[in-house]
DNA sequence: GTGAAAGCGCTAACAC
DNA sequence: GTGTTAGCGCTTTCAC
């Protein structure tokens, strides 16, 4: 039963294989009745056309890839959900890859996709550095790529992101208005993409309120909880901030844990706000103020752009940034104590 | 640059295409020097062998699929992370599909995979009902499937899951020992797979302590927060439980919100424990007692079994259940008030 | 160790 | 509306 072909099916029905082939494509060059007979028989004997043969013929895979740096937070699962929705509605398939924030992994994944495996790529960039040459392979093979959330700004393509600079500005301003004088900014990578943009908004707010930027209050730390926890503990002890803007959720979570351990009360002694897509911030103790990015929407929009460029042979050559609004949700963790 | 073939490469090097082909397989029928020359040239001109042609020839896709009912919770993202890790280490690719708990979606996905697209499938079952005939297609096509977390027990294959009956028993016993007399069980689907098994453990514990099973205390509700919230509200008002075992995280979250709204204090008036993989239960208010399933591990183990069956032509014909231990983490939400 | 040639299963001209 | 036929790019016998 394993290797049926259109020839077997054709033989069973006294037709030629081209007719059978037409039945499976959306060819209009076929008698609807014939088509129905063919499809019925296919159903009966459990046949469906071999994918690889078809793909080889038409040089299409009906598949896209999602490449993300990690799987740790709600942002990416929501974004993937949005992407998967669009992909499925288009009858496409979705490959998923996780780089663990390693550019080498990203490069090797990209290489493994440049041989026809996918028709397009959605990626949240993993790396820093300037060597993005692995992406040239995609251009050579006419595989469009759309970035979401994290990009490389030397690559000319579509980039879908939140209004991070503005949101960061507003979040910082909110802390200032609630009485904070020494606001720290926690970040994983202050030099690229979201880490940088969010810092820009933070600095702009400080400037507006004539608060000098204090490098001691900018904590450049890492992903691993065990490590960033200690960095944050030092920050709280040495720099004694009274407010914190965390550029990613994980750093806010670590902050809450450290504050608890150190006996620092949130929001009384320390006000906290962070970028996060967590959907239970209201149940935390204290309830957590967040900049909530439209993750699901972002996935949908990014996927939609990708499919547009797949539909028309026009390439995504110009740098184009699509900005989606985040929501600022102020809760207890940043509340003014009166 | 787009359509290079091994023939082009062969021409450039004065070789035949068969030799070039051998360089890309792990053939030992080739001079290492020749192979090196070929690979170097390939690198230089950015060539890699067309995947579809190769797949067609060897009838392999080096791809597996993950099919899950939803993307909403940490359990699945952790499990996928575990799967992806194994898959990548084997040089395989991972397709991902979400069914939204609809068996029809599951069936159509399975159909779209039965034509060579994947070599194997990892699935957490979506459905109830008894029509699992869509899985026959897989058998016909020799595509192995391994279940994780949720299965169909009429399908003979490997199933990797947590020790849910025992964990459920222990969680219920814990509530009883902490003084609960009227323990409710919240579930999405009490008749199948995890919903049923977890109820079994709950009932066994009640029986052990001579507490009669009260149907009024078993709430069979749905996934959508807007709907289950109202069901839970009614339960709390009418049946007045003093303890709750939630079979899935989402129902515990809804319970916390309803309790807050209704002025029911947790754990004073109502003790709560649930199955969950959330990693910030310590930061909730109150901190949440959970049965934490080894999601990451479960993904890894399930994937490992799948690859075993891919390696040897032996089929996964016998029903085989692999049980992994969960951790019971008792926190404030179920604490005895003395 | 390398080359020639057949063919994996399908699609798309082109003819009728 | 249907059949014939020439490949898509690769792998793999089989010769040498």
């Amino acid at each position: 039963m394993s290797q049926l072909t259109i020839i077997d099916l054709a033989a069973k029905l006294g037709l030629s294989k081209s007719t059978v082939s037409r039945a499976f494509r959306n060819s209009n060059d076929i008698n609807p009745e014939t088509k129905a007979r063919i499809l019925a028989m296919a159903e009966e004997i459990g046949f469906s056309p071999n994918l690889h043969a078809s793909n080889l013929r038409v040089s299409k895979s009906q598949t896209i890839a999602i490449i993300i740096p990690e799987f740790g937070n709600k942002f990416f699962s929501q974004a993937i959900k949005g992407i998967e929705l669009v992909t499925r509605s288009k009858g496409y398939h979705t490959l998923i890859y996780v780089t663990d924030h390693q550019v080498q992994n990203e490069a090797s994944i990209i290489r493994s996709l440049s041989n026809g495996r996918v028709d397009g790529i959605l990626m949240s960039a993993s790396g820093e550095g300037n060597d993005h040459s692995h992406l040239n392979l995609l251009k050579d093979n006419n595989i469009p790529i759309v970035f979401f959330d994290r990009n490389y700004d030397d690559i000319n393509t579509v980039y879908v992101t939140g209004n991070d600079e503005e949101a960061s500005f507003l979040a910082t301003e909110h802390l200032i208005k609630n009485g904070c004088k020494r606001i720290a900014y926690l970040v994983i990578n202050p030099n690229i993409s979201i880490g940088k943009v969010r810092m820009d908004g933070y600095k702009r707010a400080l400037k507006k309120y004539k608060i000098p930027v204090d490098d001691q209050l900018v904590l450049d730390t890492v992903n691993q909880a065990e490590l960033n926890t200690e960095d944050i503990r030092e920050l709280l002890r040495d720099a004694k901030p009274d407010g914190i803007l965390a550029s990613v959720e994980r750093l806010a979570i670590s902050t809450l844990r450290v504050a608890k351990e150190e006996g620092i009360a949130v929001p009384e002694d320390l006000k906290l706000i962070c970028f996060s897509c967590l959907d239970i911030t209201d149940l935390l103790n204290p309830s957590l103020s967040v900049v909530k990015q439209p993750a699901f929407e972002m996935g949908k929009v990014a996927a939609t752009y990708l499919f547009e460029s797949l539909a028309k042979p026009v390439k995504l050559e110009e740098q184009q940034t699509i900005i989606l609004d985040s929501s600022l949700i102020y809760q207890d963790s940043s509340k003014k104590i009166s």
Side-chain angles (χ1 to χ4, degrees), chain A:
Chain A
M1 184 71 65
S2 70
Q3 276 317 50
L4 288 170
T5 72
I6 49 172
I7 300 187
D8 300 324
L9 198 52
K12 275 205 200 323
L13 292 162
L15 292 166
S16 80
K17 64 176 184 163
S18 26
T19 307
V20 174
S21 173
R22 281 189 265 260
F24 286 100
R25 325 245 78 221
N26 289 335
S27 176
N28 36 5
D29 247 18
I30 185 174
N31 185 326
E33 236 170 63
T34 317
K35 179 169 175 176
R37 265 175 64 217
I38 294 172
L39 293 181
M41 176 61 89
E43 179 74 35
E44 188 187 327
I45 64 176
F47 167 83
S48 59
N50 181 290
L51 191 81
H52 305 305
S54 167
N55 282 347
L56 172 57
R57 223 14 252 265
V58 302
S59 301
K60 282 270 171 236
S61 64
Q62 297 271 105
T63 305
I64 63 154
I66 303 175
I67 307 177
I68 55 175
E70 60 164 274
F71 233 132
N73 59 45
K74 209 92 187 166
F75 172 80
F76 284 116
S77 50
Q78 286 293 108
I80 293 173
K81 208 170 146 179
I83 293 169
E84 207 268 345
L85 192 82
V86 177
T87 308
R88 189 146 43 94
S89 80
K90 300 279 182 188
Y92 268 64
H93 300 254
T94 310
L95 285 163
I96 184 135
Y97 299 89
V98 182
T99 67
D100 295 325
H101 297 269
Q102 304 297 311
V103 186
Q104 319 84 288
N105 288 343
E106 183 180 291
S108 94
I109 291 163
I110 295 271
R111 262 196 297 278
S112 77
L113 298 177
S114 304
N115 51 11
R117 190 177 289 276
V118 298
D119 298 343
I121 295 178
L122 288 162
M123 179 160 100
S124 191
S126 287
E128 30 185 334
N130 298 311
D131 184 16
H132 308 141
S133 57
H134 53 290
L135 297 181
N136 293 337
L137 265 177
L138 300 180
K139 194 167 283 172
D140 292 349
N141 291 284
N142 279 316
I143 300 172
I145 182 166
V146 168
F147 286 103
F148 65 99
D149 195 49
R150 307 173 193 204
N151 79 328
Y152 294 134
D153 51 15
D154 57 336
I155 304 292
N156 292 326
T157 182
V158 172
Y159 170 39
V160 182
T161 182
N163 61 338
D164 287 7
E165 200 276 346
E166 178 67 9
S168 215
F169 172 86
L170 291 171
T172 308
E173 184 173 56
H174 163 78
L175 291 176
I176 295 172
K177 287 186 173 166
N178 282 1
C180 296
K181 308 264 185 251
R182 295 180 55 72
I183 301 173
Y185 174 67
L186 311 191
V187 61
I188 305 283
N189 200 320
N191 301 315
I192 57 151
S193 199
I194 53 170
K196 180 177 181 320
V197 170
R198 292 172 187 179
M199 184 153 70
D200 290 345
Y202 159 78
K203 287 187 175 169
R204 181 160 66 86
L206 293 187
K207 185 170 285 174
K208 175 171 173 192
Y209 290 91
K210 312 248 186 311
I211 301 175
V213 173
D214 181 348
D215 285 344
Q216 218 198 341
L217 287 170
V218 174
L219 179 64
D220 177 5
T221 180
V222 295
N223 234 312
Q224 294 76 16
E226 317 80 58
L227 300 174
N228 65 36
T229 297
E230 289 319 305
D231 287 348
I232 291 169
R233 194 186 310 279
E234 266 183 42
L235 174 83
L236 295 188
R237 284 184 183 163
D238 300 347
K240 300 205 188 315
D242 57 6
I244 284 188
L245 168 63
S247 63
V248 292
E249 176 184 304
R250 187 174 308 233
L251 296 178
I253 299 297
S254 289
T255 300
L256 282 175
R257 294 211 171 104
V258 171
K260 217 174 182 178
E261 289 167 16
E262 299 282 314
I264 297 172
V266 178
E268 291 78 1
D269 305 333
L270 177 69
K271 301 194 200 312
L272 177 62
I273 187 166
C274 71
F275 280 77
S276 168
C277 286
L278 203 61
D279 51 3
I280 54 168
T281 51
D282 60 317
L283 295 175
L284 292 182
N285 185 19
S287 59
L288 186 62
S289 297
V290 291
V291 176
K292 190 169 193 170
Q293 308 145 87
F296 181 74
E297 197 62 22
M298 212 181 280
K300 271 179 31 183
V301 170
T304 304
Y305 272 93
L306 184 62
F307 281 108
E308 265 181 33
S309 96
L310 250 30
K312 55 182 184 205
V314 175
K315 288 167 212 161
L316 306 172
E317 285 295 295
E318 5 43 295
Q319 176 91 307
Q320 188 187 350
T321 303
I322 319 296
I323 293 181
L324 304 180
D325 281 354
S326 302
S327 338
L328 285 128
I329 304 176
Y330 300 132
Q331 301 191 84
D332 289 350
S333 71
S334 62
K335 197 155 71 179
K336 184 169 196 165
I337 306 302
S338 44

